[in-house]
Amino acid sequence: MADETDPLVVGVDFGTLSGRAVVVRVRDGVELGSAVHEYPHAVVDRQLPGSGAPLPPDWALQVPADYVDVLGNAIPAALADAGVDPRRVIGVGTDFTACTMVPATADGTPLCELPAFREHPHAYAKLWRHHAAQPQADRINELAARRGEKWLPRYGGLISSEWEFAKALQILEEAPEVYAALERWVEAADWIVWQLTGSYVRNACSAGYKGIYQDGAYPSAEFLAELNPAFADFVTSRLDQPIGELGGRAGSLTAGAAALTGLPEGIAVAVGNVDAHVTAPAAGAVEPGQMVAIMGTSTCHVMSSDVLREVPGMCGVVDGGIVPGLHGYEAGQSGVGDIFAWYVENQVPPRYHEQAREREVSVHELLSELAAGQRVGEHGLIALDWHSGNRSVLVDHELSGLVIGQTLATRAEDVYRALLESTAFGARVIVENFNASGVPVTEFIVAGGLVRNPVLMQIYADVLDLPLSIIGSSQGPSLGAAMHAAVAAGAHRDIRAAAEAMGSVHRAVYMPDPAAARAYDRLFAEYLALHDHFGRRGNDVMHTLRALRRDAVEAGENG
């Protein structure tokens, strides 16, 4: 029976478009209240706020002040929704999209808040899906391969343009005046904890997966100098910082942060973390082989294992990166829900929108219902899920989407289903890649907003030919962040104990249909053929089109 004196924790999940706070009971993980605050500036990918200056292709920025707004709005609203005495809260934990980077001064002030840089795009936070640093990532990969850097295989052989070093090198080479003013290159996961505690602690998860921190070291100054002589001291002058372990206490809530959030001053603030990685314990996935797919605008696949292997195209493997004592692996798909949203917003004819309004359902629900009645292969289509590039296993954000098989008889629901299937095929590539590399996937657990689409979930079960388990919480990252807060506050001895007490999962909710699985095997073979043809440089048309687009935009900007 609930006790009104039971200690509570607060978890805050900073997503791509909004931040969500949840109030959780430490004893059993019951979620008592929650609230969402939309970022006022959302994703800045077309023009800068205020000046309206246009941004080039592949840019994606954010305004750090929007993150602070979440603290001051979502946390008080969640406490009010829970109807609890804030004095019962003993800790707060946060998680963030990664790799989202904030260029800041030595005291943590974002450069975009300085008058000199308010109209400079490189002074804003670079969102995880900022892909304009691909040329720098290519050079990092080429040099690391040529030098035989021992850290490269830990990232599947390729460093992503989404990560810390490529984005920082882009600033140095395109905006040296911004780079000169940049004193701290901060993961947003750590920046928000800095705002709560007044101290800067770098989290082990981001450092390992996004910051090329392996075996206690970053890439050497010699390596960085070979990329660019002015980059040689990047680690020592702008990046290096004490590293906090996951579930550790980063510090205590300051008086200012307490006034902002309505939480008690001095409570524990957990070391920052990444949205996908905190979700695994929330889904009870703390043992080897349990892959958790956090499916939203993109999908991140995380899994722990008791073996260390080199998995081609993985986003990284970090000792203790998810739970202590196991190697934490990460892979991902840059676009999933984003692809479905793009299609609905830009490609679906008005009559579908009208029908959805008449039936009082979303267009996604309508198209899913229409697509559900189809047999596998009935639409005659196959698609590549690369509208936001490919994160795993190709690690190439110059790739783009593709749909093959369209005719004059193709309908909106046909393409929609083909896009749903394409993301399931992309997930299967990742699973099979891990299996082939000696890191077996024994269970596939889904979390994130897309679990609400049963048609999509059944497609995944059939394509993967695996039972799909579903996280018990609709707010997995927030819950996971709250669980880490409970550990930081000393209420649970470690994250395994917190997972046992506070996490939840529904096993084998979706079972594969054998006939559908066999049919999908045939389609998947064709997906793989296209995947390798366009993704492994059998045909370079996608890269050529990207280059032509950049040239055209640049020509337009230059008049």
Side-chain angles (χ1 to χ4, degrees):
M1 198 174 160
D3 185 335
E4 291 190 0
T5 64
D6 269 346
L8 310 174
V9 282
V10 170
V12 188
D13 168 44
F14 290 85
T16 299
L17 296 173
S18 64
R20 177 184 296 274
V22 61
V23 180
V24 181
R25 197 162 61 206
V26 169
R27 176 165 54 83
D28 54 11
V30 170
E31 298 162 27
L32 302 176
S34 65
V36 177
H37 182 73
E38 305 285 338
Y39 300 147
H41 298 92
V43 176
V44 179
D45 57 3
R46 295 188 179 273
Q47 58 186 32
L48 280 184
S51 71
L55 293 173
D58 303 321
W59 277 63
L61 308 176
Q62 288 196 313
V63 178
D66 290 355
Y67 309 146
V68 178
D69 284 347
V70 171
L71 299 178
N73 288 276
I75 292 179
L79 290 168
D81 183 50
V84 298
D85 184 345
R87 289 175 295 182
R88 293 169 56 191
V89 178
I90 62 171
V92 58
T94 58
D95 70 81
F96 232 101
T97 62
C99 169
T100 297
M101 301 301 302
V102 180
T105 62
D107 66 0
T109 303
L111 294 188
C112 63
E113 295 182 5
L114 302 179
F117 294 112
R118 278 180 185 149
E119 296 186 10
H120 203 303
H122 277 297
Y124 285 76
K126 283 185 166 56
L127 182 62
W128 64 268
R129 70 183 189 198
H130 175 88
H131 294 147
Q134 188 65 49
Q136 285 77 17
D138 290 341
R139 285 169 43 216
I140 291 171
N141 290 326
E142 291 162 6
L143 178 61
R146 188 166 72 247
R147 287 170 53 100
E149 295 289 340
K150 65 179 183 179
W151 43 260
L152 190 62
R154 297 281 182 92
Y155 299 95
L158 292 168
I159 298 303
S160 171
S161 65
E162 296 181 358
W163 297 353
E164 295 180 12
F165 280 74
K167 286 174 172 173
L169 185 58
Q170 184 194 15
I171 295 178
L172 168 63
E173 296 180 338
E174 295 181 8
E177 70 279 18
V178 175
Y179 187 81
L182 194 166
E183 296 173 299
R184 294 290 184 271
W185 185 231
V186 191
E187 278 277 357
D190 301 324
W191 185 83
I192 203 65
V193 171
W194 195 351
Q195 308 313 298
L196 291 168
T197 64
S199 59
Y200 178 16
V201 177
R202 187 151 160 69
N203 78 84
C205 186
S206 296
Y209 289 103
K210 314 301 179 183
I212 321 182
Y213 186 79
Q214 291 285 345
D215 299 323
Y218 294 101
S220 67
E222 180 187 9
F223 173 82
L224 299 178
E226 197 166 339
L227 285 170
N228 186 312
F231 205 47
D233 68 344
F234 167 66
V235 168
T236 55
S237 66
R238 292 168 172 83
L239 185 66
D240 203 9
Q241 199 70 18
I243 292 179
E245 295 304 313
L246 306 184
R249 182 173 181 143
S252 301
L253 195 70
T254 64
L260 177 67
T261 61
L263 295 171
E265 181 181 354
I267 63 172
V269 179
V271 169
N273 211 325
V274 178
D275 50 2
H277 302 72
V278 297
T279 303
V286 293
E287 299 302 329
Q290 296 176 303
M291 177 173 280
V292 181
I294 300 88
M295 296 178 59
T297 54
S298 63
T299 294
C300 190
H301 306 76
V302 294
M303 181 177 70
S304 293
S305 176
D306 52 4
V307 296
L308 177 61
R309 297 284 187 270
E310 295 174 6
V311 182
M314 67 182 176
C315 299
V317 54
V318 176
D319 187 10
I322 301 171
V323 294
L326 294 174
H327 299 287
Y329 290 83
E330 178 189 340
Q333 294 167 269
S334 294
V336 180
D338 267 356
I339 298 175
F340 312 149
W342 160 82
Y343 180 69
V344 166
E345 292 168 8
N346 296 283
Q347 305 291 316
V348 176
R351 67 179 183 276
Y352 287 86
H353 291 266
E354 293 165 6
Q355 185 179 350
R357 278 193 297 270
E358 290 171 2
R359 293 185 49 190
E360 297 183 342
V361 298
S362 71
V363 178
H364 290 281
E365 289 171 313
L366 175 64
L367 291 174
S368 295
E369 178 186 315
L370 294 171
Q374 296 185 4
R375 295 181 296 276
V376 176
E378 183 179 333
H379 50 50
L381 305 173
I382 194 162
L384 291 175
D385 53 318
W386 298 345
H387 297 65
S388 289
N390 181 282
R391 185 181 297 163
S392 298
V393 297
L394 300 171
V395 198
D396 187 348
H397 296 290
E398 296 283 280
L399 297 173
S400 49
L402 178 72
V403 180
I404 287 183
Q406 296 181 100
T407 71
L408 295 179
T410 300
R411 301 162 300 175
E413 59 265 35
D414 299 333
V415 178
Y416 190 77
R417 179 170 177 128
L419 293 174
L420 299 182
E421 292 169 340
S422 74
T423 67
F425 292 144
R428 179 168 168 176
V429 169
I430 291 169
V431 169
E432 292 193 351
N433 193 48
F434 273 88
N435 288 337
S437 300
V439 188
V441 177
T442 57
E443 183 178 10
F444 198 86
I445 306 170
V446 181
L450 293 182
V451 300
R452 293 191 294 268
N453 187 330
V455 177
L456 179 65
M457 294 298 98
Q458 188 60 52
I459 286 173
Y460 268 67
D462 293 340
V463 168
L464 296 171
D465 198 14
L466 283 172
L468 252 62
S469 300
I470 303 295
I471 189 173
S473 170
S474 62
Q475 303 173 124
S478 302
L479 174 59
M483 290 164 59
H484 282 80
V487 176
H492 290 295
R493 70 178 183 277
D494 55 28
I495 197 60
R496 280 192 173 85
E500 184 176 351
M502 302 172 70
S504 65
V505 62
H506 304 300
R507 306 283 181 195
V509 176
Y510 294 91
M511 297 296 295
D513 175 83
R518 288 193 299 273
Y520 273 129
D521 283 343
R522 295 178 60 192
L523 272 179
F524 181 66
E526 300 305 320
Y527 174 92
L528 274 183
L530 293 172
H531 175 281
D532 291 348
H533 181 67
F534 289 103
R536 301 190 188 278
R537 299 300 177 96
N539 185 308
D540 228 17
V541 62
M542 292 181 178
H543 295 86
T544 301
L545 291 174
R546 285 285 183 129
L548 288 170
R549 181 188 180 208
R550 279 193 291 269
D551 291 346
V553 171
E554 183 178 346
E557 290 175 349
N558 294 334

